Amino acid sequence: MSKNKRIAYRGVFIALGLVLSYLESFVPVSALAPGIKIGLANIVTVFSLYKLGTKDAIYISLGRIILSAVLFGGLVSGIYSLAGAALSMTVMIILKKIHFFSVMGVSIAGGVMHNLGQILLATLILNNKGLFYYMGILLITGSLAGTVIGILAGKMLKRINL
């Protein structure tokens, strides 16, 4: 793939991730428990990891998180998103490379690790280990969200050729 085409895909996928993040703000999932999100923009991350590769997926994820923080969330939400994304992306890259897990398995691990990354950062910042009690809920919701994202990304991977 040419450099220009790769840059164009990055821009389109960052924009798509922003749109999905914005649309998700209208879904009241966080009413069930604070901070819970489906993570629709992660469809783009998982798709790009498999179709474009590690480097592009990282650029797309970082671009989306930074722009989302600037446009919708603010500095604090951006920092928490970066912490979650760093752990999530690291684990997804490793699991994809070992070729043992399906797209859905990689996505589930990504959802859970994103939540863990945010809890770890919050624990460090707030010096409150009690936050780990919330991890039980986040394991369940991260797994459910990761399943949905994995199914949708898997369907896209089968249908869209770049």
Side-chain angles (χ1 to χ4, degrees):
M1 179 181 307
S2 74
K3 184 177 181 180
N4 290 338
K5 194 171 190 178
R6 190 170 293 282
I7 290 169
Y9 276 128
R10 288 178 188 165
V12 168
F13 288 148
I14 288 170
L16 180 58
L18 284 170
V19 168
L20 290 171
S21 290
Y22 179 71
L23 290 175
E24 185 175 15
S25 69
F26 295 108
V27 181
V29 177
S30 63
L32 302 172
I36 302 298
K37 290 175 57 176
I38 299 169
L40 291 176
N42 292 321
I43 296 168
V44 175
T45 303
V46 173
F47 179 84
S48 63
L49 180 62
Y50 279 86
K51 281 291 185 179
L52 298 176
T54 300
K55 185 176 171 183
D56 288 315
I58 291 170
Y59 284 138
I60 290 163
S61 183
L62 282 174
R64 179 189 55 81
I65 289 167
I66 292 167
L67 288 173
S68 287
V70 169
L71 295 172
F72 313 126
L75 179 63
V76 174
S77 72
I79 291 169
Y80 279 99
S81 291
L82 285 171
L87 185 56
S88 174
M89 187 65 76
T90 301
V91 170
M92 288 194 301
I93 290 166
I94 292 167
L95 294 181
K96 179 183 173 272
K97 283 186 179 184
I98 64 173
H99 303 287
F100 181 75
F101 293 93
S102 66
V103 172
M104 187 173 13
V106 170
S107 177
I108 291 168
V112 170
M113 290 298 113
H114 186 87
N115 291 338
L116 179 59
Q118 291 183 328
I119 288 290
L120 287 170
L121 180 63
T123 300
L124 288 172
I125 291 173
L126 301 173
N127 195 25
N128 181 355
K129 293 178 185 164
L131 293 171
F132 279 106
Y133 289 114
Y134 196 49
M135 200 59 211
I137 292 169
L138 294 178
L139 282 171
I140 294 166
T141 58
S143 296
L144 291 172
T147 300
V148 170
I149 299 307
I151 290 169
L152 294 172
K155 289 185 180 294
M156 288 175 57
L157 288 164
K158 288 178 184 173
R159 289 183 169 81
I160 299 172
N161 292 318
L162 301 181

